[in-house]
Amino acid sequence: MWNQIQIPEADSLHRQSIQVETETVHGEKLALQCMGCDACVENKGCMCDHSTQDLKSVVNEADVEDHTEANSSFAHSVINMIGMLIGLGQLSAPYALENGGWASAFLLVGIGVICAYTSLLLGKCLEKSPSSRSYADIGQHAFGSRGRLLASTFINVEIFMTLVSYTISLHDNLITVFAGTQLRLLIWTKLSTSQLLTMIGVLIALPSMWMTDLSSISFLSSGGILMSIIIFTSVACIAIFQVVKANHSIPALHLHKIPAISGLYIFCYAGHIVFPNLYKSMKDPSKFTKVSIVSFASVIALYTSLAFTGAKLFGPEVSSQITLSMPRHLIITKIALWATVITPMTKYALELAPFSVQIEHSLPGSFSSRTKTIIRGAVGSFLLLIILSIALSVPYFEHVLSLTGSLVSFSICIVFPCAFYIKISSAQLSKFSLILNATLLAFGLLLGVAGTISSSKSIFTSLKRDHSA
């Protein structure tokens, strides 16, 4: 599973950058190790390689230099970009392919190619505006303060909805991990065992919202990356060792399901918010094109192979989360399920940190450091409880993830980059380039609107069905 957050002192603070491990929700996406770095504050991970700096001696405003050291190598940038692009998408890709049909794989690959192209557009926008450092900066350069506000709003919504999807995933996998367990609370008798288990899981993660040691938050991000690797490896082992025979046939095409699964497909590649930061961190930004091509080619191959593998292994019975389809009695399945349960717990503090930081820096200077920390922790905890409430009220992983992709990811990954590029480079654009980018913009809008309508209808239908039951 990111936005540029403007806080007081940002102009001087954003010059300081620190090496972080990154991962995204499209799925993204992402560690926050330094409140002094723009990239870190916007929660998309700073790509700068400053590992020699002390994380605890971050930002004295008067001592910050007026430049950002960029020393990420080609290989380091590729690894970071791939890490950003691998997330919740790996759980839903097999389900999306089975529901859309094998021909929908062309859409999966096509959207990946388009997203690779729009990542290059962001690089070109940065070439035109050397002072821009983030996705929101590009929006401001293209359309002024309204452009920044629009980009910021969409990114914040994506963060929030992605965390709701992670919490639903936590709910679904906890049910499987603790199958047969019965829990009841006298004061909340209407809550089911699965709801209580999810509440307990979120409450376990709640103390992380009070962390002030940013290096600890970064450590959580590293754990999230490890969990993703474990999940992918588990599915691969089941296929390689033929624990389950891959003998299911995949339907050719279900055209009426394309709008909904397009939201799942675009979410696989939702990492564009951090690409400007990655670009700025490179020793040689001219290699950004090669970085994008290598990274997206690798991720497209990974998602496509995983989608076909899962669909062939489990057929029509494939779950919206591949881990829920794996044979329950296998040790490797239990490992994958626990990895999926742990993943959301590694995300909350990291993804909600920008909101908390923004609140903390907007407080009056007369407040003591302790008071600010308490308010910051309280705000983060409150947001987490809201996320929990929504996840328990709308526990439909595939529909919520599809809505997230359709409602915001299409705009962030396709529509906005094309619009930014057309506006910033209008004087130099050839007729072909103008038509191409306008067509892609329209394509993104069309699928985004269609997918939003489709996934919204699915959510309302599911809610109505469950309410009637």
Side-chain angles (χ1 to χ4, degrees):
M1 71 187 59
W2 286 305
N3 171 31
Q4 167 74 22
I5 300 249
Q6 291 301 304
I7 59 176
E9 299 134 358
D11 287 342
S12 58
L13 289 176
H14 76 249
R15 309 301 184 196
Q16 184 82 6
S17 54
I18 291 181
Q19 163 97 17
V20 298
E21 303 245 18
T22 62
E23 176 200 2
T24 96
V25 340
H26 224 243
E28 342 314 245
K29 48 66 200 336
L30 300 166
L32 173 65
Q33 289 188 341
C34 166
M35 289 190 296
C37 175
D38 244 2
C40 297
V41 169
E42 70 182 13
N43 201 28
K44 280 298 290 181
C46 171
M47 300 300 134
C48 311
D49 189 7
H50 293 193
S51 56
T52 59
Q53 297 185 39
D54 182 1
L55 288 171
K56 295 183 180 180
S57 65
V58 192
V59 254
N60 184 333
E61 182 178 354
D63 299 330
V64 175
E65 298 181 7
D66 194 35
H67 68 279
T68 298
E69 183 181 352
N71 55 7
S72 290
S73 66
F74 175 84
H76 182 236
S77 299
V78 168
I79 292 171
N80 276 331
M81 185 174 283
I82 291 175
M84 281 180 260
L85 294 171
I86 297 176
L88 278 176
Q90 68 179 340
L91 296 178
S92 61
Y95 170 86
L97 185 71
E98 168 62 29
N99 278 266
W102 63 260
S104 72
F106 290 105
L107 180 63
L108 173 62
V109 174
I111 289 177
V113 172
I114 293 172
C115 286
Y117 171 73
T118 55
S119 72
L120 302 182
L121 294 185
L122 293 177
K124 291 182 179 180
C125 289
L126 290 170
E127 289 178 8
K128 299 283 185 180
S129 176
S131 61
S132 295
R133 299 170 47 81
S134 68
Y135 192 96
D137 287 343
I138 297 174
Q140 180 161 1
H141 182 221
F143 297 104
S145 57
R146 292 183 179 180
R148 174 180 289 277
L149 177 62
L150 186 64
S152 299
T153 300
F154 270 74
I155 295 164
N156 282 328
V157 171
E158 186 177 52
I159 293 173
F160 195 83
M161 293 182 69
T162 299
L163 287 180
V164 171
S165 297
Y166 269 117
T167 307
I168 297 172
S169 175
L170 172 67
H171 170 270
D172 295 343
N173 284 273
L174 274 174
I175 298 173
T176 307
V177 169
F178 292 101
T181 302
Q182 294 295 323
L183 288 178
R184 283 290 182 269
L185 287 182
L186 295 178
I187 55 175
W188 286 323
T189 55
K190 292 184 178 181
L191 291 179
S192 66
T193 298
S194 62
Q195 291 174 325
L196 288 173
L197 286 171
T198 307
M199 288 178 62
I200 292 170
V202 171
L203 289 175
I204 291 173
L206 196 62
S208 66
M209 306 308 303
W210 295 77
M211 284 184 178
T212 55
D213 183 355
L214 297 172
S215 60
S216 298
I217 297 178
S218 173
F219 175 76
L220 291 177
S221 177
S222 303
I225 297 172
L226 177 61
M227 296 304 105
S228 292
I229 294 172
I230 290 174
I231 293 168
F232 177 77
T233 304
S234 300
V235 177
C237 286
I238 286 179
I240 292 171
F241 296 106
Q242 297 186 343
V243 177
V244 176
K245 299 293 183 181
N247 53 10
H248 288 279
S249 61
I250 304 173
L253 182 66
H254 291 149
L255 193 59
H256 65 287
K257 293 184 178 180
I258 292 299
I261 68 166
S262 65
L264 297 176
Y265 282 158
I266 188 68
F267 194 84
C268 293
Y269 307 108
H272 285 59
I273 312 309
V274 77
F275 292 166
N277 308 118
L278 189 150
Y279 177 95
K280 286 292 185 179
S281 75
M282 293 183 64
K283 291 178 183 177
D284 184 3
S286 65
K287 293 183 179 179
F288 182 74
T289 297
K290 292 182 180 179
V291 168
S292 292
I293 292 173
V294 171
S295 301
F296 272 94
S298 301
V299 171
I300 289 170
L302 185 149
Y303 276 126
T304 304
S305 61
L306 183 61
F308 272 103
T309 299
K312 290 290 288 181
L313 284 173
F314 306 112
E317 302 302 316
V318 67
S319 172
S320 59
Q321 300 175 67
I322 188 65
T323 51
L324 301 180
S325 297
M326 296 165 65
R328 305 283 176 85
H329 64 281
L330 298 177
I331 293 179
I332 197 168
T333 299
K334 298 181 188 301
I335 294 173
L337 286 170
W338 272 110
T340 312
V341 166
I342 293 172
T343 297
M345 299 182 186
T346 69
K347 300 288 183 183
Y348 294 128
L350 182 67
E351 308 294 353
L352 291 176
F355 300 100
S356 302
V357 169
Q358 185 181 21
I359 293 295
E360 183 177 355
H361 282 263
S362 64
L363 295 173
S366 58
F367 283 18
S368 67
S369 177
R370 177 170 178 165
T371 301
K372 289 183 177 181
T373 299
I374 291 174
I375 294 175
R376 175 183 174 179
V379 169
S381 300
F382 178 69
L383 289 173
L384 183 54
L385 293 177
I386 291 177
I387 289 168
L388 172 63
S389 300
I390 295 174
L392 294 180
S393 302
V394 193
Y396 315 114
F397 178 81
E398 65 276 23
H399 301 324
V400 173
L401 197 65
S402 176
L403 179 62
T404 304
S406 299
L407 182 63
V408 288
S409 297
F410 265 112
S411 295
I412 292 170
C413 298
I414 298 178
V415 176
F416 289 169
C418 290
F420 294 162
Y421 181 66
I422 291 173
K423 183 66 169 63
I424 292 173
S425 305
S426 56
Q428 296 81 31
L429 279 183
S430 64
K431 187 175 181 180
F432 171 79
S433 182
L434 179 61
I435 293 174
L436 172 63
N437 287 286
T439 301
L440 292 178
L441 190 155
F443 171 79
L445 279 175
L446 177 63
L447 277 185
V449 171
T452 298
I453 294 173
S454 177
S455 52
S456 297
K457 284 183 177 179
S458 297
I459 290 175
F460 287 126
T461 300
S462 298
L463 285 171
K464 185 177 180 181
R465 181 193 64 231
D466 290 350
H467 181 70
S468 299

